[in-house]
Amino acid sequence: MKKIIYIDMDGTVVDFKSGINELTEIEREQYKGNEDDHPEIFSKMKPVSGAIDTISKLNTKYDLYLLSTAPWDNPNAWKHKREWVGKYFGNEEGSIFWKRLILSHHKNLNKGAYLIDDNPGRNGADKFQGKLIHFASEEYPDWKSIENYFFAN
């Protein structure tokens, strides 16, 4: 049986800043500090460098799920996150994250061996019962370091 890895989206797989960079100057000013409330922000984002390649490799050895939080007051974000997964990982049955996207404000309720997250202090990530891999930290600064960790063990 493969071990389960949950992977956060924003700041881990999805480059949040790339979406902000796509906003107009007026939009950036209007949503400053609350960029995730922009109704189209999540449709504008690109993948974090190395994420798709490493995730494809992890998929050969682990049971993968995306575990993300979406802004409560931006229902478009929920839709756009699902569409983003389809755009970058495929929409067809059998694709890596086919029906494997979980949107929750309580990541600690999920059971698995690992959670890869860039913000361990939010949405229950710090209470996750498996091993928390802090993405974008000194120990795991990028996807290459994640790949090295999982294929060395």
Side-chain angles (χ1 to χ4, degrees):
M1 180 177 229
K2 293 180 178 179
K3 290 184 179 179
I4 294 174
I5 301 176
Y6 294 104
I7 307 170
D8 174 53
M9 287 183 72
D10 307 328
T12 305
V13 177
V14 180
D15 182 352
F16 192 85
K17 190 165 176 61
S18 70
I20 295 170
N21 292 341
E22 293 293 317
L23 299 177
T24 66
E25 196 168 319
I26 292 169
E27 289 172 320
R28 278 195 289 267
E29 189 58 37
Q30 181 182 358
Y31 289 95
K32 190 173 185 167
N34 295 306
E35 289 86 355
D36 61 356
D37 286 336
H38 185 286
E40 303 300 317
I41 190 73
F42 291 93
S43 68
K44 300 177 180 294
M45 297 179 189
K46 307 286 187 255
V48 168
S49 178
I52 293 175
D53 184 51
T54 297
I55 288 169
S56 295
K57 291 174 184 174
L58 289 173
N59 191 50
T60 65
K61 185 176 174 183
Y62 295 92
D63 196 9
L64 306 180
Y65 293 84
L66 289 172
L67 177 57
S68 187
T69 302
W72 191 253
D73 291 326
N74 183 357
N76 281 347
W78 300 61
K79 174 183 181 274
H80 290 148
K81 283 185 180 229
R82 164 56 190 93
E83 290 171 347
W84 192 97
V85 171
K87 179 178 180 178
Y88 289 101
F89 290 101
N91 277 316
E92 62 282 344
E93 188 171 351
S95 57
I96 293 175
F97 293 115
W98 170 258
K99 296 188 177 183
R100 288 173 174 259
L101 169 62
I102 301 166
L103 298 176
S104 175
H105 288 83
H106 305 279
K107 294 179 180 183
N108 56 301
L109 297 179
N110 290 274
K111 303 291 184 212
Y114 302 95
L115 169 61
I116 303 170
D117 200 313
D118 69 311
N119 198 341
R122 295 191 56 193
N123 301 308
D126 58 337
K127 296 178 182 86
F128 180 74
Q129 304 247 333
K131 179 172 175 58
L132 177 62
I133 305 291
H134 185 179
F135 183 78
S137 66
E138 190 174 315
E139 188 174 4
Y140 304 103
D142 53 26
W143 277 99
K144 191 63 178 168
S145 63
I146 298 288
E147 184 177 325
N148 290 341
Y149 172 79
F150 281 103
F151 286 98
N153 294 318

